[in-house]
Each structure stands twice: as C-alpha cells, then as structure tokens.
Amino acid sequence: SQTIHQWPATLVQPVGSPLSLECTVEGTSNPNLYWYRQAAGRGLQLLFYSVGIGQISSEVPQNLSASRPQDRQFILSSKKLLLSDSGFYLCAWDTYSGNVSPLHFGNGTRLTVT
Amino acid sequence: GENVEQHPSTLSVQEGDSAVIKCTYSDSASNYFPWYKQELGKRPQLIIDIRSNVGEKKDQRIAVTLNKTAKHFSLHITETQPEDSAVYFCAASKYTGTASKLTFGTGTRLQVTL
C-alpha cells in the first residue's frame, strides 16, 4: 500500500532563517506531488505541484520554492522566512491513470515563524 | 480560476440528527468533487468523492449530491455521532490530464452535541 511521510512534524523558526520541509511517498511510482498550506482556522491553499522529476508548477507567488530531486521526493524551501509563512504545511500525492485519482495528504508540518 | 464557496462555516447538530453542508463552484468544466474531514491538528482525510457523470453517491451514513446545472454539491451526514465532529472541506477540480489541482472551500466546523 502507498504511504506518505512528511517531516518534521513541528518546527519553530526565527524570521529570516531558511526552511526545508521534506516529503516522500512509498508504494507508487511517478506520483503527482503537491504542497498545500493551511493558515490557522482557514482552508487549504495550493502552493506547488509537480508531475515529474524536476517539473515544478507554482500556484502562488511568494518567497517559497519547491524541488523534486527524485521521483518520490518533494521538498519545500525558503531562503528567508517571513512571519506570514507560519501555518500548517501539507504534502499530498495522487497518480495519473487516465482519470482522476483521490488526493492523499501527509501528516503535515506545523511551522511557527517567530 | 476555480472558486469554491462553502457554507455554513459552523454547524451544530444534536446526536442522531442529520447535517448538510453545501458548496458551489464557478468553473463549469470541473469534473471531480471530493469531501475531506479534518480532525483537530490532523491531516485532511478523504471521506467521499463524486465525479461529474454521477448525480449522487452514498457510503453508509454519508452521501453526496451534485447538481451540474446549478454548479453546486452537498454533503449529507445522517444519524450523526460525536465522532463526526470535525472540520469538513469540499473541493473541486478540473482534471487536465496530468495533475488534478483541487480548489478547496473554506471549511465547515461540525459540532455534534449529546
């Protein structure tokens, strides 16, 4: 069965510090990978998605970036965090099979920028 | 782009009663409509989904209806139980043949009281 791992679970970082969040998927090949952000008490906002190694699409302009160095690895980064980057970051995956497949989320990383 | 509106934002029902959450979407080309349940501090989990070629789908106490003409879809929970208390999100996407970019509603906080 497929599983998705996301770490760390919680993170407290000062303003201006760098960020690296990692996500890996097991049990499937060539997944679509996504980064969503959820502000406190709010909905889910799509940040980035990737349909293959090295292919990144950005949905919202910001000081974050994403990379996909391997088929089942997705990384969210920032060079300098802002207070507004605080939130719950969720990695997710689905697969292309000629039709829509359900989106599955990782356990999330709760980021607090101080 | 797609816009999904969800209401009510909060809903309180007594145990055993039914709960209904409604969503509207803007893009008539959207063809996939999942519902997610998110318990406090946890990841969203898919509870039911419906595709545009189906008008209704049921899974035990949960049902979803879709009206493509009016561009709205609803989640129905019957015989509610305390463990149904959570935040529920609707979403819509237009499958492009590669990635399915879900647009989420702002969520409904359901409280089931004894």
Side-chain angles (χ1 to χ4, degrees):
Chain A
S1 63
Q2 302 92 347
T3 56
I4 179 169
H5 302 280
Q6 191 179 341
W7 65 93
T10 59
L11 191 60
V12 180
Q13 293 282 97
V15 168
S17 64
L19 173 73
S20 181
L21 304 181
E22 190 164 341
C23 168
T24 59
V25 179
E26 295 179 357
T28 187
S29 58
N30 196 29
N32 296 322
L33 297 173
Y34 306 81
W35 280 110
Y36 280 85
R37 177 171 62 197
Q38 186 175 32
R42 307 285 291 277
L44 295 102
Q45 180 187 36
L46 178 62
L47 302 176
F48 302 94
Y49 70 94
S50 171
V51 299
I53 296 174
Q55 300 179 62
I56 308 295
S57 295
S58 174
E59 290 295 296
V60 181
Q62 57 216 324
N63 71 323
L64 299 171
S65 63
S67 61
R68 185 169 177 174
Q70 300 181 47
D71 180 45
R72 289 170 287 179
Q73 184 185 28
F74 206 23
I75 297 171
L76 183 69
S77 304
S78 174
K79 293 182 179 178
K80 289 185 177 182
L81 284 168
L82 306 173
L83 284 174
S84 58
D85 291 324
S86 294
F88 191 41
Y89 288 82
L90 290 152
C91 182
W93 71 273
D94 63 17
T95 55
Y96 169 65
S97 58
N99 204 345
V100 177
S101 70
L103 186 70
H104 300 279
F105 288 93
N107 286 328
T109 295
R110 190 162 304 281
L111 172 66
T112 303
V113 182
T114 60
Chain B
E2 175 68 276
N3 182 51
V4 177
E5 296 188 358
Q6 181 174 350
H7 57 92
S9 57
T10 60
L11 179 60
S12 183
V13 299
Q14 286 199 321
E15 183 179 7
D17 287 350
S18 295
V20 180
I21 302 170
K22 298 182 180 181
C23 290
T24 60
Y25 60 99
S26 60
D27 189 344
S28 57
S30 289
N31 55 14
Y32 177 62
F33 308 91
W35 286 87
Y36 285 83
K37 174 184 180 183
Q38 186 178 29
E39 297 177 354
L40 188 63
K42 297 193 175 180
R43 62 180 167 179
Q45 294 199 299
L46 179 73
I47 56 171
I48 194 167
D49 58 9
I50 192 168
R51 303 173 196 275
S52 60
N53 58 349
V54 176
E56 184 174 358
K57 184 176 179 180
K58 190 173 182 180
D59 182 5
Q60 299 182 347
R61 297 186 297 110
I62 295 174
V64 57
T65 58
L66 171 65
N67 184 325
K68 288 169 53 181
T69 303
K71 290 188 287 186
H72 67 70
F73 55 114
S74 301
L75 177 71
H76 305 252
I77 305 174
T78 59
E79 301 172 25
T80 53
Q81 302 168 3
E83 52 265 37
D84 294 329
S85 296
V87 178
Y88 291 80
F89 292 96
C90 63
S93 74
K94 177 177 59 182
Y95 192 62
T96 61
T98 52
S100 177
K101 301 183 295 178
L102 286 172
T103 299
F104 284 84
T106 50
T108 296
R109 184 174 299 278
L110 174 64
Q111 181 70 44
V112 180
T113 58
L114 297 174

